[in-house]
């Protein structure tokens, strides 16, 4: 079987620094692979080589079985960076730029821009200035710019890092749809192994520039528990006993005092994960459709360069919540504040 893309012994040096060490990896059409590993593992460098933005020092990159020069890779792949660069222009002009360079007609450009903005939930933003958007909105704009090109290979560098709750939820759901429904080939760099499990069933583990293991997500993570402890995010991971309900949901008893609701039917012992970005926080009880709601007290507040993480003790479990700095200020939350948490049953992932 011919692979869409294949790396053979790819090494990349920056002076005396060896960023990639003989990486060999195959990527099939329609496949989604998560590159996981700690900071400095070589994930971003590998993405840049695949995208044709960096020339490998040695080794080969094959596209459909033929050795590919960076110029070819730049035509068939596009990369969304962790900190996206947006042009000092309108949202429309940002998304349309790549289409204009590739010679698309005005009518086709308009159609693609509209479709891409719809996918990232930014309809009506066409005339807004890109530089004035929030960090999360700029990330969604960068993703729309990439999707508009409709390339064969989409590369994303930490697409869910340090986003506001709305943008994180929108991008997370969109990536799942792109992977499972649209079947666009994707390579996604993540330092968070738990988020990788929610996105795809195939991971490639990088450590110190070396490809340590490739395979089914659960198998790789299970076999390499010790190294993973250095970078896997463990917030909001719980183990409990699951009982299916008649309405198609599942009640998960985490302790004698804590039960949460999840979508889907499961029975017996399960491990679940709730993304910190999916937990809503308020200073007073709010009527929501969320089936999981708890009162707690803030134990810790940490700054994440654009976002804020709260450690909240409900007296039954310790939850991590991620919100924007703006929300923190508007809500008047401090260490010791009493808050109310809520998250939907659909935000509970089975691992």
């Amino acid at each position: 079987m011919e692979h869409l893309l294949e790396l053979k012994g790819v090494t990349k040096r920056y002076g005396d620094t060896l960023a990639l060490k003989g990486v060999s990896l195959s990527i099939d059409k329609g496949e989604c692979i998560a590159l996981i590993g700690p900071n400095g593992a070589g994930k971003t460098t590998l993405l840049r080589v695949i995208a044709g933005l960096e020339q490998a020092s040695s080794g080969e990159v094959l596209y459909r079985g033929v050795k590919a020069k960076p110029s070819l890779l730049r035509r068939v792949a596009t990369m969304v960076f962790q900190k996206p660069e947006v042009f000092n222009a309108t949202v429309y002009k940002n998304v349309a730029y790549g289409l204009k360079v590739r010679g698309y007609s005005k009518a086709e450009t308009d159609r693609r821009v509209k479709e891409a903005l719809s996918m990232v939930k930014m309809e009506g933003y066409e005339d807004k200035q890109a530089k004035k958007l929030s960090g999360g909105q700029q990330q969604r704009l960068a993703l729309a710019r990439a999707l508009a090109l409709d390339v064969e290979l989409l590369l994303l560098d930490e697409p869910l890092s340090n986003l506001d709750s709305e943008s994180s939820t929108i991008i997370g759901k969109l990536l799942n749809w792109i992977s499972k429904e649209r079947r666009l080939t994707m390579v996604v760099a993540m330092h968070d192994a738990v988020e990788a499990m929610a996105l795809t069933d195939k991971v490639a583990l990088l450590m110190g520039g070396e490809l340590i293991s490739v395979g089914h997500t659960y198998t790789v993570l299970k076999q390499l528990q010790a190294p993973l402890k250095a970078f896997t995010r463990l917030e909001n991971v719980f183990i409990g006993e699951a009982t299916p309900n008649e309405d198609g949901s599942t009640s998960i008893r985490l302790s004698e005092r804590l039960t949460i609701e999840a979508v889907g039917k499961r029975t017996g012992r399960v491990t679940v994960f709730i993304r910190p970005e999916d937990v809503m926080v308020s200073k007073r009880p709010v009527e929501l459709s969320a089936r999981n709601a708890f009162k707690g007290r803030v134990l810790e507040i940490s700054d994440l360069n654009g976002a804020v993480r709260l450690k909240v003790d409900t007296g039954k479990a310790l939850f991590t919540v991620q919100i924007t700095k703006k929300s923190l200020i508007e809500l008047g939350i401090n260490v010791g504040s009493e808050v109310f948490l809520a998250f939907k049953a659909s935000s509970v992932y089975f691992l």
Side-chain angles (χ1 to χ4, degrees):
M1 177 181 176
E2 182 181 271
H3 304 295
L4 178 66
L5 200 80
E6 188 173 6
L7 288 80
K8 292 186 174 183
V10 169
T11 294
K12 178 62 183 177
R13 294 181 180 275
Y14 295 102
D16 294 331
T17 302
L18 193 57
L20 294 175
K21 306 175 184 177
V23 173
S24 295
L25 177 68
S26 61
I27 303 167
D28 293 330
K29 186 173 177 59
E31 191 171 45
C32 177
I33 298 179
L35 303 178
I36 62 172
N39 291 332
K43 303 186 299 294
T44 300
T45 301
L46 184 54
L47 285 181
R48 290 181 65 86
V49 170
I50 295 173
L53 302 176
E54 299 278 359
Q55 175 78 55
S57 302
S58 62
E60 293 182 331
V61 180
L62 306 179
Y63 169 70
R64 297 188 178 277
V66 178
K67 187 174 180 179
K69 294 181 179 180
S71 57
L72 171 60
L73 296 173
R74 288 194 293 270
R75 291 199 298 272
V76 301
T78 190
M79 181 171 172
V80 178
F81 300 94
Q82 182 177 1
K83 295 182 179 179
E85 288 291 333
V86 297
F87 307 131
N88 188 23
T90 64
V91 167
Y92 175 90
K93 288 183 177 179
N94 267 266
V95 180
Y97 176 78
L99 299 170
K100 184 178 179 180
V101 170
R102 296 187 182 206
Y104 286 94
S105 69
K106 178 66 165 59
E108 180 65 8
T109 295
D110 287 347
R111 185 190 71 78
R112 287 179 176 239
V113 170
K114 182 178 180 180
E115 181 182 30
L117 289 177
S118 176
M119 284 193 284
V120 299
K121 308 299 182 186
M122 290 184 70
E123 303 97 326
Y125 280 71
E126 287 87 348
D127 295 328
K128 293 185 182 295
Q129 290 297 312
K131 290 286 188 180
K132 293 183 178 181
L133 299 176
S134 69
Q137 289 171 334
Q138 288 186 4
Q139 184 76 340
R140 285 154 60 189
L141 170 57
L143 182 55
R145 191 164 56 194
L147 292 171
L149 295 174
D150 196 24
V151 294
E152 286 193 88
L153 184 58
L154 178 62
L155 311 170
L156 302 109
D157 191 9
E158 302 284 359
L160 301 177
S161 291
N162 301 335
L163 297 179
D164 58 88
S165 178
E166 180 186 17
S167 293
S168 178
T169 299
I170 290 171
I171 291 177
K173 289 181 178 179
L174 177 58
L175 293 183
N176 270 285
W177 178 80
I178 291 171
S179 173
K180 296 177 174 58
E181 301 297 330
R182 189 167 170 177
R183 301 292 295 172
L184 176 63
T185 310
M186 292 196 299
V187 183
V188 187
M190 295 177 158
H191 72 275
D192 187 330
V194 177
E195 283 187 347
M197 293 180 76
L199 177 63
T200 179
D201 57 6
K202 183 175 181 179
V203 299
L205 175 64
L206 286 167
M207 300 282 282
E210 293 187 75
L211 185 60
I212 304 298
S213 182
V214 182
H216 190 280
T217 307
Y218 179 77
T219 303
V220 172
L221 302 191
K222 184 178 180 181
Q223 291 175 344
L224 300 167
Q225 289 179 1
L228 287 173
K229 290 180 181 177
F231 68 91
T232 286
R233 190 173 75 183
L234 296 176
E235 299 100 333
N236 303 341
V237 176
F238 304 103
I239 297 174
E241 288 295 324
T243 303
N245 301 316
E246 291 184 358
D247 64 358
S249 66
T250 292
S251 296
I252 305 161
R253 188 182 184 187
L254 305 182
S255 68
E256 291 184 1
R257 302 168 60 195
L258 179 62
T259 298
I260 63 174
E261 303 292 323
V263 172
K265 288 192 174 184
R266 295 294 180 95
T267 304
R269 193 169 179 81
V270 296
T271 301
V272 295
F273 166 59
I274 303 103
R275 294 170 55 205
E277 298 88 341
D278 290 339
V279 182
M280 295 168 280
V281 61
S282 61
K283 289 294 291 291
R284 57 182 60 87
V286 181
E287 291 294 329
L288 296 169
S289 60
R291 298 180 63 172
N292 300 291
F294 310 99
K295 182 172 72 173
R297 193 167 298 277
V298 178
L299 299 182
E300 179 184 318
I301 300 175
S302 54
D303 193 328
L304 291 176
N305 297 321
V308 175
R309 283 211 174 165
L310 314 177
K311 295 287 187 182
V312 180
D313 185 5
T314 66
K316 306 169 185 177
L318 187 65
F319 285 91
T320 299
V321 183
Q322 182 167 310
I323 60 176
T324 63
K325 288 182 180 179
K326 182 180 178 182
S327 295
L328 181 78
I329 295 170
E330 290 178 346
L331 291 169
I333 294 175
N334 299 294
V335 172
S337 293
E338 183 178 87
V339 295
F340 293 86
L341 307 181
F343 52 92
K344 297 179 180 179
S346 59
S347 295
V348 179
Y349 296 93
F350 291 98
L351 301 182

